[in-house]
Amino acid sequence: MKIAPIRRTVQILSLAGMVAVPLLNSRGISAVSGSFYSLEIGSLLLTDPLIALQPLLATMSIDATLLDSALIPIGLALVLGRVFCSWVCPQNTLSELFDAVGARLGLTRLWTPGPGPIPRYAVLALILAATLLYGFPLASLLSAPGIISVQTARFIYEGTVGLELALIGTIILVELFLVRRVWCTHLCPVGSMLSLFRFRKTMRVVMAEEGENTCLHCRECAKACQLDLNPMAGNIAPQCHNCGACIDACQEMTGERRPLSFRF
Amino acid sequence: MSKQFLRPPGAAAEADFLGRCIRCGKCALACPYRAIRIAGLLDGLTVMGTPVILARKSPCYLCMKCVAVCPSGALDSRVKKREQIRMGTARLNKKECLNWQGTFCRSCYDHCPLFNEAITMDGELRPVVNEKKCVGCGICEHVCPADPAAIIVTPRGAG
């Protein structure tokens, strides 16, 4: 079975939810409320782990409710990897869309960064250090999913949007013309934080051992990857966010014997 | 320090508030009067994304729904009664106030949610703000018929 149709459905539902929540809230229906910073479903509070950590660093005081609300997202990352990024995040959905447009137009980028995770963790460390130093939640201003959802709500409530959306526009332009998908692979602090929560058993894309199944070395998986990772090379975490495009491409070539699959 | 804004009920002192608020916007979603607006980049980088109240346009009616939904404690959920709120203090500008110009008006006095406590009328029937009782909701500023408003809320922590 293909992964793409399921993932597209989840992405569309996430976008629909992002619009529906403020629409319903504005009419007094608030069983679900919030944004991609922090979401409240009934009495269940879910907060982005990076966002939940900020007040602790900024004010040096512990708010148990806020920290607890990050546990379910952390648990999800520990089990399924960064599926928030690839299946839910509106910035990823936008970036994927524009990447497909770029491919249609035959755009070539100026520069291809290395695949290592060091740059992204360095950016995350810098942001957290600044939060600690200046007592100011910098990552909130750099959370693309947060900005997109809050600005959507603002548009619904006030009919206007803020200049904060310039960040989203910049990401799209940079990714189209300078470095392919660079926000998601090297810069986004939200994704970097989520990629810290992984262990041996976290779901990931695995190439079957030699003999178990046969890799055709067709490279279709690497071609399918928008993040320019090579699943045949093995260890692609933590850059890989489990979108499953490579697995679909592999299945295309090898049928149900596909050597590439999600494993725990 | 940039301009001080009027914050929703229960907000911590400004510097602490800016550190605690995660800019999630839930308070604005919860406000049934749409009084809470989300500050933008033009309001300043440090306040961008935080909730502000423009009392002249739309004041706070002290329903406390925003305090209940705040996930980060930036709006202190221990603030439950309206008397505990300290958003700011209303200040009367006698030069603009109709009563001081000889026209009788009791808009601010009548609309104050802490009726006859935060705003009283003096012996000459002119409004007087009781700074100890005023919570800074801004309803007086909103209803003031003078233009510009003769009674304006100064946010807590501002001059």
Side-chain angles (χ1 to χ4, degrees):
Chain A
M1 196 168 87
K2 290 264 192 170
I3 295 162
I6 313 170
R7 191 169 70 94
R8 292 278 177 255
T9 310
V10 175
Q11 283 179 311
I12 289 165
L13 287 176
S14 302
L15 287 181
M18 186 177 82
V19 175
V21 164
L23 271 179
L24 291 171
N25 284 183
S26 71
R27 283 159 180 74
I29 305 162
S30 50
V32 179
S33 184
S35 55
F36 282 122
Y37 291 113
S38 183
L39 189 68
E40 198 169 3
I41 306 169
S43 58
L44 181 71
L45 189 61
L46 304 170
T47 305
D48 174 345
L50 173 67
I51 301 302
L53 178 66
Q54 290 189 103
L56 174 68
L57 294 177
T59 66
M60 283 294 160
S61 62
I62 292 174
D63 187 307
T65 316
L66 183 65
L67 291 174
D68 288 350
S69 66
L71 290 179
I72 291 177
I74 289 173
L76 182 72
L78 282 172
V79 177
L80 297 177
R82 285 200 293 133
V83 285
F84 169 79
C85 298
S86 56
W87 292 59
V88 178
C89 177
Q91 178 60 54
N92 177 64
T93 307
L94 272 178
S95 285
E96 274 186 6
L97 184 72
F98 279 97
D99 195 77
V101 170
R104 280 277 164 81
L105 299 176
L107 293 179
T108 51
R109 274 62 160 204
L110 280 182
W111 182 58
T112 310
I118 307 292
R120 80 171 314 154
Y121 288 138
V123 171
L124 176 64
L126 276 178
I127 290 170
L128 291 180
T131 305
L132 193 67
L133 217 61
Y134 297 105
F136 173 72
L138 184 60
S140 283
L141 312 190
L142 296 172
S143 164
I147 288 173
I148 295 173
S149 57
V150 166
Q151 292 301 318
T152 303
R154 175 171 161 178
F155 183 72
I156 288 166
Y157 269 60
E158 299 179 30
T160 57
V161 290
L163 269 178
E164 294 91 311
L165 283 180
L167 176 69
I168 311 304
T170 309
I171 294 173
I172 289 170
L173 288 176
V174 166
E175 290 187 339
L176 263 181
F177 297 108
L178 298 178
V179 193
R180 191 185 186 199
R181 296 302 308 270
V182 70
W183 184 258
C184 300
T185 55
H186 286 74
L187 297 174
C188 175
V190 173
S192 303
M193 185 70 176
L194 286 175
S195 63
L196 288 176
F197 299 106
R198 50 180 300 107
F199 71 121
R200 242 168 1 96
K201 291 285 185 191
T202 301
M203 186 173 89
R204 62 204 187 282
V205 176
V206 173
M207 171 74 83
E209 307 251 329
E210 201 68 39
E212 195 179 331
N213 268 312
T214 317
C215 170
L216 305 174
H217 296 282
C218 63
R219 296 193 57 85
E220 286 302 316
C221 54
K223 270 188 244 164
C225 182
Q226 280 203 356
L227 307 184
D228 285 335
L229 302 171
N230 180 7
M232 294 190 300
N235 195 17
I236 51 174
Q239 305 294 76
C240 170
H241 56 204
N242 287 354
C243 77
C246 55
I247 297 175
D248 280 352
C250 184
Q251 187 182 331
E252 196 85 9
M253 298 303 289
T254 61
E256 280 309 316
R257 284 178 42 244
R258 57 174 191 217
L260 217 52
S261 62
F262 281 132
R263 297 266 177 91
F264 287 97
Chain B
M1 198 67 203
S2 54
K3 178 177 176 266
Q4 279 269 310
F5 289 95
L6 192 62
R7 300 296 188 185
E14 188 69 6
D16 198 31
F17 178 78
L18 289 175
R20 284 178 193 275
C21 173
I22 60 171
R23 281 71 169 161
C24 71
K26 275 170 81 178
C27 48
L29 288 176
C31 181
Y33 308 99
R34 300 197 184 187
I36 300 179
R37 283 147 193 275
I38 298 299
L41 188 55
L42 292 179
D43 297 310
L45 201 61
T46 52
V47 294
M48 170 179 141
T50 59
V52 298
I53 292 173
L54 307 175
R56 185 63 165 163
K57 271 192 189 152
S58 184
C60 171
Y61 293 93
L62 309 178
C63 72
M64 310 300 278
K65 288 203 166 110
C66 53
V67 185
V69 300
C70 178
S72 72
L75 304 180
D76 189 345
S77 56
R78 286 170 302 181
V79 175
K80 288 201 164 65
K81 291 192 202 133
R82 47 174 57 175
E83 290 80 11
Q84 295 171 284
I85 299 170
R86 286 291 170 271
M87 297 162 65
T89 313
R91 300 249 162 90
L92 187 75
N93 180 355
K94 291 173 186 169
K95 286 202 188 98
E96 301 285 344
C97 178
L98 296 179
N99 292 284
W100 283 84
Q101 317 309 320
T103 310
F104 182 57
C105 167
R106 36 187 267 171
S107 285
C108 57
Y109 173 78
D110 276 345
H111 288 86
C112 178
L114 288 99
F115 182 69
N116 208 24
E117 287 182 27
I119 299 178
T120 51
M121 296 298 251
D122 69 9
E124 319 252 338
L125 292 181
R126 294 176 302 216
V128 178
V129 177
N130 180 352
E131 296 197 356
K132 287 212 175 78
K133 295 277 183 181
C134 176
V135 299
C137 67
I139 293 175
C140 52
E141 184 180 331
H142 178 63
V143 298
C144 179
D147 189 27
I151 190 163
I152 290 175
V153 176
T154 308
R156 186 182 58 167

